[in-house]
Amino acid sequence: MIASLSALTASNVLTIISSLLMLLGGVAAFIIGMNLMGSNLERAAGKSMRRLMAKAAKNRFRGIATGAAVTAIVTSSSATTVMIVGFVNVGLMTLTQAASVIMGANIGTTVTALLTAISTVGDELLIITALFTFSSFVGMLMSMLSKKEKIKRVGAILQGLGLIFVGMQFMSMTMKNMLADEHINFVIEQAFIGIGKGADKLTWHIIVLFLLGAALTGLVQSSSAITAIVISLANENLITLPMGMFIILGTNVGTCVTALFSSLGTNVNARRAAIVHLLFNVLGSIIFIIPLAFLSGHLERFLNSFIPSLSWQIAIFHMAFNVLTTAILIGFVNYLVKLACLIVPDKKGADSKEEQDTLDRRLLKTPAIAVGQVRRQLLSMADKAFKNYKLSLDMLFSGDLSHREEFDETEKSINSMNKHIISFLIELSLTEISETDEKKVSSFYHVASDIERIGDYAENIVEYAEKSVEDKLEFSDHAKEEIREMDLHITNLYRYTGQVFAGSDLNYLPDVEKEETATDDVNRKMQQSHLRRMTEGRCTAEAGAVFLQLAVNMERIGDHMNNIANSVKSYGHKSGVTVRKVSK
């Protein structure tokens, strides 16, 4: 080998450098293809993914199926796990549910390895690879010539699929060109033989191969890309099956790096989800690495008896490893969760609820789910605003201002949520979302503003309460009766508005309009009653001014609730449910 190294010429060195650069270009095309195909499949299946995630909550086996299906769609277990970390962080998924979905994600990622193996078929099936590669050209034409969004998306999916095979073919051709030179061929063979020598025994070589797979995957942050390179090397007989198996085991651990980085800055349960992912892959590797160290030679002979292609042997091993690991560890989900809880203990004094009230930007990877989460945040913000409205009215009636600090904290939270939601919506609007979700996002800007204004009017009512206490103002029993009547309609209006907005259900719009009209009527009645009391000398000018301002503010709160309900018109539907009317 030393003699061969000394025989390498400057031309050989340049050939190696240029081949390595082209190899990296092939890796780049492969990863770009995966991301392009995965992201567009994910957007096309937005509603389906929401349904899949809902089913994941049923039981651990559905969770596994969900993880496998979603990962097959997005072609990346790392992307799925990052999504799961985001879901756990915002409370969309429990840690136990996340654990089973993560297991399924490891199975789903084997689809990419099988696709890669297809690109290494013999000359008699070369037409299959050519057709897959040609799909990128077809996809490009579809995206360029069509104006329809759905056709453009299908075109992008085909482009991504084609680029995966273009990348694989590029890597394979680069390897063949390098091996065409006898000096380079000999050096490469000796290097891999040196690394793999004794790899069928429990020696340091196994550890080197395992760590090599983990390190490269952590660096590239794509186990699929490293698996593709391994299969490409196997196709050129540069590595043996045992070598490939130990590198694959390493890639399963290295892929956890993405989720671990993603969990930084999240709540405790989200970090635990990333740890569950790490524990699952590490334990799976430990379970298999020792038996394989002694039995890999027998396994190689067994596979050679009916699967001649080394590339397919590695792809099938990758799938079998993940399926068997899941089958073994599925019964230990609760123990994995408990171990993750020990590794990442609860923070003392941490406010977990406040952590979950945050929109996680990881959700931007799944726009359809992100839109649903914004709706939840707006409903939470509306609850706070309505709570403050009720609190302000209590202070006005009772004259007890001891809850002013609580009111101010809630108002501060409303303003903070408004800014955060608007910021998130801006980022969400820049992603590729469906036409319906685009309408929702557009309306959500106005909804956030309406809710914030409700909070502001509640703040005005608190100021009227303070003025009433300071000036010792009192309302007559008749005036209080009218305020309570207005409050009843606002309460009903809030309930029906919530039903319209939460379920995009236009069935409740007539009730919203009825209650909003009632607030207008009561406002007029309050003003007329006030003038009559003033004429009769039963009301002071100071109390009258507060009463009139209160009536206007309450009526405007009703207007903003009506705006929120009507914002759903552009995308809502009628459920067919018979609505029980509120009697006036």
Side-chain angles (χ1 to χ4, degrees), residues 270-541:
R271 293 199 297 277
R272 287 169 179 168
I275 293 297
V276 167
H277 186 214
L278 178 64
L279 289 172
F280 174 74
N281 285 341
V282 168
L283 288 172
S285 296
I286 291 172
I287 290 169
F288 278 85
I289 198 167
I290 296 176
L292 285 175
F294 295 100
L295 302 174
S296 58
H298 298 293
L299 181 60
E300 185 176 19
R301 286 190 290 274
F302 171 71
L303 289 175
N304 282 333
S305 65
F306 63 95
I307 305 175
S309 169
L310 180 56
S311 302
W312 275 99
Q313 289 177 9
I314 291 175
I316 289 170
F317 166 77
H318 187 216
M319 181 177 66
F321 162 70
N322 284 294
V323 170
L324 289 173
T325 301
T326 299
I328 293 168
L329 294 179
I330 185 62
F332 299 92
V333 167
N334 292 334
Y335 295 101
L336 286 174
V337 169
K338 287 179 181 178
L339 184 55
C341 291
L342 288 174
I343 295 171
V344 184
D346 287 314
K347 284 183 179 179
K348 291 182 178 179
D351 187 353
S352 58
K353 184 179 185 303
E354 188 62 32
E355 286 183 305
Q356 286 192 357
D357 281 346
T358 304
L359 286 170
D360 195 316
R361 279 169 172 74
R362 294 164 189 81
L363 296 178
L364 293 171
K365 292 180 177 292
T366 50
I369 294 174
V371 170
Q373 184 62 11
V374 173
R375 189 204 303 274
R376 290 185 184 89
Q377 284 295 98
L378 287 168
L379 287 167
S380 176
M381 183 180 168
D383 281 341
K384 290 175 184 285
F386 187 70
K387 173 190 171 185
N388 255 13
Y389 156 71
K390 284 291 192 180
L391 192 59
S392 68
L393 214 55
D394 286 343
M395 286 190 274
L396 181 72
F397 275 125
S398 66
D400 180 6
L401 303 177
S402 61
H403 294 289
R404 179 62 201 254
E405 188 175 339
E406 178 190 346
F407 179 95
D408 289 340
E409 284 299 315
T410 304
E411 173 63 15
K412 190 184 297 182
S413 176
I414 292 168
N415 291 334
S416 176
M417 288 179 76
N418 181 47
K419 290 178 183 177
H420 190 49
I421 288 170
I422 294 300
S423 174
F424 188 84
L425 284 172
I426 291 170
E427 292 187 57
L428 183 56
S429 64
L430 296 175
T431 65
E432 290 186 34
I433 54 180
S434 68
E435 186 178 344
T436 300
D437 283 342
E438 190 175 351
K439 290 176 181 176
K440 290 178 183 177
V441 168
S442 179
S443 71
F444 286 170
Y445 285 103
H446 302 292
V447 171
S449 176
D450 282 314
I451 296 171
E452 197 267 339
R453 292 297 294 147
I454 291 171
D456 290 343
Y457 285 122
E459 194 166 19
N460 291 345
I461 296 172
V462 170
E463 291 174 4
Y464 304 151
E466 287 177 329
K467 182 174 178 57
S468 297
V469 171
E470 184 181 340
D471 296 344
K472 297 181 181 179
L473 304 177
E474 287 189 12
F475 296 120
S476 67
D477 291 339
H478 193 266
K480 289 179 180 179
E481 204 57 53
E482 291 170 339
I483 294 171
R484 289 193 178 96
E485 184 182 357
M486 175 73 93
D487 176 51
L488 175 63
H489 290 299
I490 288 176
T491 302
N492 288 335
L493 180 55
Y494 176 71
R495 185 169 73 253
Y496 283 119
T497 296
Q499 287 169 322
V500 172
F501 185 72
S504 302
D505 192 347
L506 301 181
N507 250 45
Y508 292 92
L509 268 183
D511 298 274
V512 170
E513 290 166 4
K514 176 182 175 181
E515 293 299 327
E516 197 277 329
T517 300
T519 61
D520 294 338
D521 293 341
V522 175
N523 179 35
R524 283 191 292 270
K525 186 170 77 171
M526 289 172 75
Q527 293 184 40
Q528 290 167 3
S529 298
H530 164 69
L531 290 173
R532 187 173 60 252
R533 286 191 294 271
M534 284 287 290
T535 303
E536 295 171 356
R538 293 188 290 117
C539 180
T540 64

Side-chain angles (χ1 to χ4, degrees), residues 22-23 44 78 82 100 112 119 154 196 224 231 303 317 351 373 448 456 501 517 550 561:
M22 292 173 74
L23 180 66
S78 296
V82 169
S100 60
T112 310
S119 69
V154 171
S224 296
I231 290 175
L303 289 175
F317 166 77
D351 187 353
Q373 184 62 11
D456 290 343
F501 185 72
T517 300
L550 174 64
M561 289 181 182

Side-chain angles (χ1 to χ4, degrees), residues 85-369:
V85 169
F87 297 157
V88 174
N89 191 46
V90 298
L92 287 175
M93 188 178 286
T94 68
L95 189 56
T96 304
Q97 291 164 0
S100 60
V101 178
I102 286 169
M103 290 181 176
N106 278 31
I107 296 174
T109 195
T110 61
V111 171
T112 310
L114 294 173
L115 277 176
T116 304
I118 291 173
S119 69
T120 64
V121 294
D123 293 339
E124 68 279 3
L125 295 177
L126 190 61
I127 187 64
I128 296 175
T129 305
L131 286 172
F132 276 119
T133 305
F134 177 68
S135 68
S136 61
F137 178 75
V138 175
M140 180 194 69
L141 291 179
M142 290 174 69
S143 297
M144 287 176 61
L145 301 178
S146 177
K147 294 182 180 180
K148 293 184 178 180
E149 189 62 33
K150 287 184 179 179
I151 294 177
K152 283 180 176 289
R153 184 156 291 151
V154 171
I157 292 168
L158 290 175
Q159 287 179 64
L161 178 63
L163 281 174
I164 289 174
F165 283 88
V166 168
M168 278 303 305
Q169 284 300 301
F170 212 70
M171 287 187 276
S172 181
M173 289 173 62
T174 301
M175 284 296 186
K176 286 179 181 178
N177 290 337
M178 288 177 69
L179 295 174
D181 188 294
E182 60 180 10
H183 292 95
I184 297 174
N185 182 29
F186 181 75
V187 171
I188 293 174
E189 284 184 350
Q190 291 301 309
F192 277 104
I193 289 171
I195 294 174
K197 188 178 180 182
D200 57 336
K201 299 176 182 178
L202 189 59
T203 65
W204 69 273
H205 298 281
I206 292 173
I207 306 301
V208 169
L209 291 167
F210 178 83
L211 293 177
L212 181 65
L216 289 175
T217 303
L219 185 65
V220 178
Q221 294 197 20
S222 172
S223 61
S224 296
I226 302 304
T227 302
I229 292 174
V230 170
I231 290 175
S232 183
L233 291 171
N235 191 48
E236 301 302 326
N237 294 315
L238 286 174
I239 61 173
T240 63
L241 177 61
M243 292 173 68
M245 289 190 298
F246 295 122
I247 295 173
I248 293 297
L249 292 178
T251 63
N252 276 270
V253 175
T255 196
C256 299
V257 170
T258 307
L260 290 170
F261 278 133
S262 173
S263 69
L264 297 176
T266 60
N267 65 27
V268 171
N269 272 341
R271 293 199 297 277
R272 287 169 179 168
I275 293 297
V276 167
H277 186 214
L278 178 64
L279 289 172
F280 174 74
N281 285 341
V282 168
L283 288 172
S285 296
I286 291 172
I287 290 169
F288 278 85
I289 198 167
I290 296 176
L292 285 175
F294 295 100
L295 302 174
S296 58
H298 298 293
L299 181 60
E300 185 176 19
R301 286 190 290 274
F302 171 71
L303 289 175
N304 282 333
S305 65
F306 63 95
I307 305 175
S309 169
L310 180 56
S311 302
W312 275 99
Q313 289 177 9
I314 291 175
I316 289 170
F317 166 77
H318 187 216
M319 181 177 66
F321 162 70
N322 284 294
V323 170
L324 289 173
T325 301
T326 299
I328 293 168
L329 294 179
I330 185 62
F332 299 92
V333 167
N334 292 334
Y335 295 101
L336 286 174
V337 169
K338 287 179 181 178
L339 184 55
C341 291
L342 288 174
I343 295 171
V344 184
D346 287 314
K347 284 183 179 179
K348 291 182 178 179
D351 187 353
S352 58
K353 184 179 185 303
E354 188 62 32
E355 286 183 305
Q356 286 192 357
D357 281 346
T358 304
L359 286 170
D360 195 316
R361 279 169 172 74
R362 294 164 189 81
L363 296 178
L364 293 171
K365 292 180 177 292
T366 50
I369 294 174

